[in-house]
Amino acid sequence: MGKSERKASQRLLKIWSKCEGCQNLLDITQLKSNLRVCVECDYHWRMPSRERIASLVEEWSPINEHVTSSDALNFHDQQPYALRLKQTQMRTNLPEAVLTGIGRLEDRKVALGVMDFDFMGGSMGSAVGEKITRLIELSISQSLPLILVSASGGARMQEGVLSLMQMAKISSALERFHQHRLLYISVLTSPTTGGVMASFAMLGDLILAEPKATVGFAGKRVIEQTIKEELPKNFQSSEYLLQHGFLDLIVHRSQLKSTLYQIIRWHHRR
């Protein structure tokens, strides 16, 4: 493929994209206006964190944007971790794999954290753990309902045990949060896996998920080899988890904002 052909192909990708659900070509502009839900088959595409925030709250005030990961372990694989972080920040225009802040959901003030899978697979490193913990602590100090929207492949391997420590750190903060009898709503999007799934994603007072989201801790083959049993093909889907009591509700993306608002209103009426 020549240079001119590659440029033409790149321009085409900015206009059209193939749906993973039905394989139809979709107009990107139309897809974005429909909250990145396929108009043909209702497939929920991954949603960038800033678009997600705009779809849920008004008057957004970000916090702790300066909190970013560092290469504490001097990790080198195919390239230095510090270099990969810098390149990812430039490519995504994001400081880290989670954005946190305070927003207004209709007439309610809420604390909101939204993960972004495009930033190193939404992996949970030390900065992600610190930002979510600080958001929880701010929620406590201001008595705000907390909403965390997960999208993650799990822990960030480049930070080793520092990444794994974030599971306990956030879980401890959530325990303090629950002691204040505040409301925490966890929203699972595709995928939500690994350490995120094993910690704060499943610790909500209410756990919601998008349709057909991939949700689970480890891969199917690993689990089957561990428990020596064959698992259903769809056992890591939000529908399967709802049927077996792990979720409270599956919510279409177009209904998520109104559903969150109704839950918060009901909670404050108790």
Side-chain angles (χ1 to χ4, degrees), residues 49-50 68-69 79-98 116-123 128 156 158:
S49 52
R50 288 194 174 96
T68 57
S69 289
Q79 63 178 178
Y81 175 44
L83 176 60
R84 184 176 178 185
L85 276 173
K86 184 175 294 186
Q87 291 175 342
T88 303
Q89 289 165 345
M90 293 177 62
R91 177 180 60 81
T92 62
N93 194 30
L94 292 169
E96 254 299 338
V98 66
D116 198 310
F117 193 83
D118 198 34
F119 194 104
M120 297 184 70
S123 51
V128 169
R156 189 171 298 177
Q158 293 87 349

Side-chain angles (χ1 to χ4, degrees), residues 21-263:
C22 62
Q23 305 303 307
N24 286 328
L25 283 178
L26 303 178
D27 181 290
I28 291 297
T29 302
Q30 183 184 28
L31 181 66
K32 288 181 179 179
S33 67
N34 199 44
L35 299 177
R36 294 188 183 265
V37 177
C38 178
V39 295
E40 300 291 337
C41 70
D42 212 39
Y43 177 79
H44 284 49
W45 291 49
R46 288 176 188 156
M47 195 174 197
S49 52
R50 288 194 174 96
E51 289 184 27
R52 174 80 66 176
I53 290 167
S55 74
L56 294 178
V57 297
E58 300 84 26
E59 299 178 3
W60 171 251
S61 300
I63 61 172
N64 297 311
E65 291 183 292
H66 65 285
V67 177
T68 57
S69 289
S70 62
D71 190 8
L73 302 181
N74 194 26
F75 184 91
H76 285 68
D77 189 9
Q78 295 180 347
Q79 63 178 178
Y81 175 44
L83 176 60
R84 184 176 178 185
L85 276 173
K86 184 175 294 186
Q87 291 175 342
T88 303
Q89 289 165 345
M90 293 177 62
R91 177 180 60 81
T92 62
N93 194 30
L94 292 169
E96 254 299 338
V98 66
L99 296 179
T100 57
I102 304 299
R104 179 174 55 83
L105 175 54
E106 302 294 351
D107 60 351
R108 305 285 176 167
K109 190 177 178 182
V110 299
L112 175 65
V114 178
M115 303 192 75
D116 198 310
F117 193 83
D118 198 34
F119 194 104
M120 297 184 70
S123 51
M124 183 171 63
S126 54
V128 169
E130 181 65 17
K131 292 184 71 171
I132 293 176
T133 299
R134 292 189 187 186
L135 181 67
I136 296 168
E137 291 171 342
L138 182 62
S139 303
I140 295 172
S141 67
Q142 298 189 18
S143 297
L144 296 177
L146 171 68
I147 302 169
L148 294 177
V149 182
S150 297
S152 177
R156 189 171 298 177
M157 70 171 196
Q158 293 87 349
E159 296 188 28
V161 70
L162 298 177
S163 177
L164 298 178
M165 289 167 62
Q166 306 311 310
M167 297 168 60
K169 178 178 180 179
I170 299 173
S171 298
S172 297
L174 281 173
E175 174 59 26
R176 297 192 297 274
F177 180 89
H178 289 309
Q179 289 173 3
H180 286 77
R181 300 179 64 81
L182 298 170
L183 175 64
Y184 165 38
I185 305 172
S186 176
V187 181
L188 314 184
T189 70
S190 192
T192 298
T193 59
V196 170
M197 175 68 173
S199 56
F200 65 88
M202 296 302 288
L203 293 177
D205 297 299
L206 287 170
I207 304 175
L208 316 183
E210 290 190 328
K212 298 181 180 179
T214 298
V215 179
F217 177 64
K220 185 174 186 288
R221 178 173 58 86
V222 172
I223 298 175
E224 286 182 333
Q225 289 178 349
T226 302
I227 67 174
K228 309 301 181 184
E229 291 184 19
E230 185 175 351
L231 296 168
K233 290 183 178 180
N234 69 334
F235 85 105
Q236 289 185 320
S237 69
S238 51
E239 287 75 13
Y240 183 91
L241 293 184
L242 177 66
Q243 182 181 358
H244 290 80
F246 287 90
L247 303 179
D248 295 296
L249 196 64
I250 293 177
V251 184
H252 192 280
R253 190 173 292 165
S254 63
Q255 300 297 315
L256 183 57
K257 181 177 181 178
S258 60
T259 300
L260 290 171
Y261 178 64
Q262 290 298 330
I263 291 172

Side-chain angles (χ1 to χ4, degrees), residues 1-7 9:
M1 182 182 292
K3 186 175 181 180
S4 60
E5 291 176 318
R6 285 197 299 270
K7 288 184 176 180
S9 177

